[in-house]
């Protein structure tokens, strides 16, 4: 069986994005193995199953991945937290996911985040191969996940696509989101395209809708035949000027995450241009 015709393991299934992806992928006929540490709040689609599991439990992840051709990895800590809380789900958890993928010869689709590059300034237009510049422990775990994908591709041939998601919400809420917004529909269509793509190596793609004010440029999207179809542009009139009073939040692409636990009082000189 090909990667595309085998079962799909979805971690983080009970989260905001996981629930959307579940609905979309099930409607497209994929047989899903759903997992999360929290109970699944919706009806489980026909032909799918849900299994409560902790990403820190490597044996559980290996068992769940059995027979799967794709792992959509949307689980783990999804906001900035102290290092001790990020460590097991996001660092050890990624290792468990990649080891399971290696054993099953499965493809990994990894929900990375703009916080892997969050200390780049908003005035910069970045390509996906830009310098990583995480804005906290959460962003650092996403940078680690992207690099883990690189390493597993070169060392073990594990196919992977990291999507560096901006702000995926029901709708954009502030001026920054006019640049970073990614609609739920675009996330779901991305997951489908990355799952069915016939050839994947180790790719990085910006996770944003088709926003005129995007901070982000070239990436690997054409290689999987995906392009966003939604846009934040229709919110520009109502959100332009909706800012915070905080200088770091307004300077950096990572927005408020750049300010969490920050002890510097000045703005750092840009390291990369
Ligand atoms: C993320 O990575 C978070 O998961 C989400 O809660 C938002 O904060 C988002 O980034 C963002 O940067 O807007």
């Amino acid at each position: 069986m090909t990667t595309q015709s085998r079962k799909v393991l979805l971690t983080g299934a009970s989260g905001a994005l996981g629930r959307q992806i579940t609905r979309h992928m099930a409607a497209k006929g994929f047989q899903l193995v759903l997992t999360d540490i929290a109970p699944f709040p919706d009806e489980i689609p026909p032909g799918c199953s849900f299994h409560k599991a902790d990403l820190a439990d490597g044996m559980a992840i290996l068992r769940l991945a059995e027979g799967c051709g794709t792992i959509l990895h949307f689980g783990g800590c999804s906001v900035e937290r102290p290092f001790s809380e990020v460590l097991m789900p996001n660092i050890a958890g990624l290792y468990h996911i990649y080891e399971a993928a290696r054993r099953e010869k499965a493809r990994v689709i990894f929900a990375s985040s703009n916080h892997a590059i969050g200390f780049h300034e908003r005035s910069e237009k970045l390509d996906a191969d830009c310098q990583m510049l995480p804005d906290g422990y959460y962003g650092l775990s996403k940078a680690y996940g992207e690099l883990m994908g690189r390493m597993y591709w070169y060392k073990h041939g594990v196919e992977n696509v990291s999507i560096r998601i901006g702000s995926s919400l029901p709708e954009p809420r502030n001026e920054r989101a006019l640049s970073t917004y990614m609609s739920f529909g675009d996330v779901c269509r991305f997951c489908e395209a990355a799952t069915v793509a016939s050839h994947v190596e180790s790719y990085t793609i910006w996770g944003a809708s088709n926003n005129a004010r995007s901070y982000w440029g070239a990436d690997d999207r054409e290689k999987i035949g995906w392009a966003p179809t939604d846009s934040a542009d229709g919110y520009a009139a109502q959100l332009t000027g909706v800012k915070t009073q905080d200088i770091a939040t307004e300077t950096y692409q990572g927005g408020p995450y750049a300010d969490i636990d920050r002890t510097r009082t000045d703005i750092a000189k840009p390291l990369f241009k």
Side-chain angles (χ1 to χ4, degrees):
M1 270 206 286
T2 62
T3 300
Q4 303 93 309
S5 61
R6 287 154 70 200
K7 288 184 295 182
V8 174
L9 173 62
L10 172 63
T11 71
S14 307
L17 291 183
R19 292 169 68 190
Q20 300 285 336
I21 296 164
T22 298
R23 206 170 309 137
H24 178 88
M25 295 292 279
K28 294 286 175 178
F30 291 95
Q31 192 188 341
L32 302 174
V33 178
L34 308 170
T35 185
D36 202 298
I37 201 161
F40 189 67
D42 307 322
E43 202 175 312
I44 295 165
C48 304
S49 57
F50 176 78
H51 311 264
K52 193 171 184 301
D54 188 340
L55 288 165
D57 182 349
M59 286 309 292
I61 301 303
L62 280 180
R63 273 195 301 271
L64 286 170
E66 268 171 28
C68 291
T70 303
I71 304 177
L72 290 168
H73 183 38
F74 280 68
C77 180
S78 65
V79 290
E80 177 62 350
R81 299 297 302 158
F83 181 69
S84 58
E85 290 179 38
V86 172
L87 178 62
M88 290 315 289
N90 289 29
I91 303 292
L94 262 161
Y95 166 70
H96 297 146
I97 292 292
Y98 268 95
E99 274 301 294
R102 170 157 87 115
R103 198 171 78 166
E104 297 298 324
K105 300 197 182 334
R107 177 179 297 170
V108 177
I109 319 292
F110 171 53
S112 182
S113 166
N114 73 92
H115 297 290
I117 54 85
F119 267 129
H120 281 282
E121 295 195 5
R122 292 197 195 178
S123 54
E124 294 172 73
K125 183 94 178 182
L126 303 175
D127 292 338
D129 61 358
C130 67
Q131 296 283 350
M132 288 187 179
L133 212 42
D135 56 23
Y137 298 116
Y138 164 69
L140 192 55
S141 76
K142 296 298 186 181
Y144 167 83
E146 291 188 22
L147 285 171
M148 184 167 258
R150 260 315 117 84
M151 189 275 270
Y152 270 77
W153 168 249
Y154 277 93
K155 191 160 267 193
H156 305 298
V158 174
E159 298 179 348
N160 61 88
V161 184
S162 293
I163 175 105
R164 226 175 250 161
I165 301 174
S167 307
S168 195
L169 305 159
E171 54 181 36
R173 288 193 195 132
N174 51 36
E175 191 174 71
R176 171 174 169 268
L178 293 174
S179 306
T180 59
Y181 174 68
M182 184 176 197
S183 72
F184 289 158
D186 280 337
V187 172
C188 291
R189 289 182 289 272
F190 160 79
C191 288
E192 184 187 346
T195 302
V196 303
S198 55
H199 179 80
V200 161
E201 296 179 6
S202 180
Y203 299 153
T204 308
I205 297 180
W206 293 111
S209 287
N210 195 12
N211 308 326
R213 300 182 182 204
S214 178
Y215 308 137
W216 306 320
D219 63 14
D220 292 318
R221 65 190 55 197
E222 277 174 19
K223 296 178 185 155
I224 62 155
W226 171 80
T229 51
D230 294 329
S231 174
D233 297 357
Y235 294 85
Q238 95 198 51
L239 294 178
T240 300
V242 178
K243 297 180 197 277
T244 64
Q245 297 300 311
D246 181 68
I247 179 79
T249 303
E250 296 304 325
T251 300
Y252 297 116
Q253 296 195 2
Y257 282 41
D259 196 46
I260 299 172
D261 290 336
R262 202 173 79 102
T263 57
R264 276 188 86 133
T265 50
D266 62 333
I267 294 295
K269 205 162 143 260
L271 275 180
F272 310 105
K273 272 288 179 199

